[in-house]
Amino acid sequence: MFVSIATPCIFRTAGHPPQPKVCPTLRQKSKFSRASETLMVKATTPQFSKKKPSDEELKSMGVKQWPIWTCGKSVFDWHYSEKETCYLLEGDVTVTDSKSGEKISFGAGDLVEFAEGLGCVWDVRVPVKKHYKFG
């Protein structure tokens, strides 16, 4: 199971009548029907996720048959026109979602998924070698 990198918005209201609150993550107003603590989970789908897969999982996914991509130390913008799954063999990277500012850092041994439509900035701190698959 992948680890979600989404952050919830928590609103606490105490007075009557409740006031509309603006969630900085959602950028929209949210009204409450009563003055009580309310949890509002971010409405967007996580744009990336990572995990440490077992050798069995990697084998069942056929990761060793995926193409290999390499990249030296660099910083660059990227847009995913379709979902990508990648397995890092080497490297150290932080990817920042261009819209939300959320970040994910990963390195050798991590299996990472990037959602279709994600616009982001890659910061490759240690040269990368990875297996990848689109779709």
Side-chain angles (χ1 to χ4, degrees):
M1 173 169 237
F2 284 92
V3 177
S4 172
I5 314 292
T7 308
C9 295
I10 299 174
F11 296 106
R12 299 180 196 283
T13 58
H16 287 69
Q19 299 296 312
K21 300 291 181 184
V22 177
C23 172
T25 307
L26 295 172
R27 303 277 187 249
Q28 64 187 18
K29 288 187 177 182
S30 178
K31 296 182 181 182
F32 300 103
S33 59
R34 62 176 208 248
S36 63
E37 185 173 294
T38 303
L39 172 66
M40 175 178 244
V41 178
K42 191 171 160 180
T44 59
T45 304
Q47 296 296 297
F48 32 66
S49 58
K50 75 174 180 180
K51 74 175 194 172
K52 293 277 189 194
S54 68
D55 289 340
E56 290 174 2
E57 287 175 289
L58 294 173
K59 187 175 181 179
S60 71
M61 294 172 73
V63 170
K64 288 186 178 180
Q65 283 71 49
W66 297 354
I68 290 181
W69 179 79
T70 60
C71 179
K73 286 178 69 170
S74 55
V75 176
F76 58 91
D77 294 331
W78 190 254
H79 178 79
Y80 288 91
S81 57
E82 59 185 315
K83 179 180 114 174
E84 180 189 357
T85 303
C86 64
Y87 178 71
L88 259 71
L89 301 167
E90 302 171 4
D92 184 23
V93 180
T94 297
V95 173
T96 305
D97 183 326
S98 298
K99 287 183 182 176
S100 71
E102 289 182 84
K103 296 181 181 203
I104 186 171
S105 294
F106 50 96
D110 287 330
L111 184 70
V112 185
E113 283 190 356
F114 299 96
E116 179 180 351
L118 171 66
C120 59
V121 177
W122 274 64
D123 182 1
V124 180
R125 295 183 305 271
V126 174
V128 166
K129 182 177 181 181
K130 70 175 184 172
H131 285 288
Y132 69 95
K133 179 179 87 169
F134 286 102

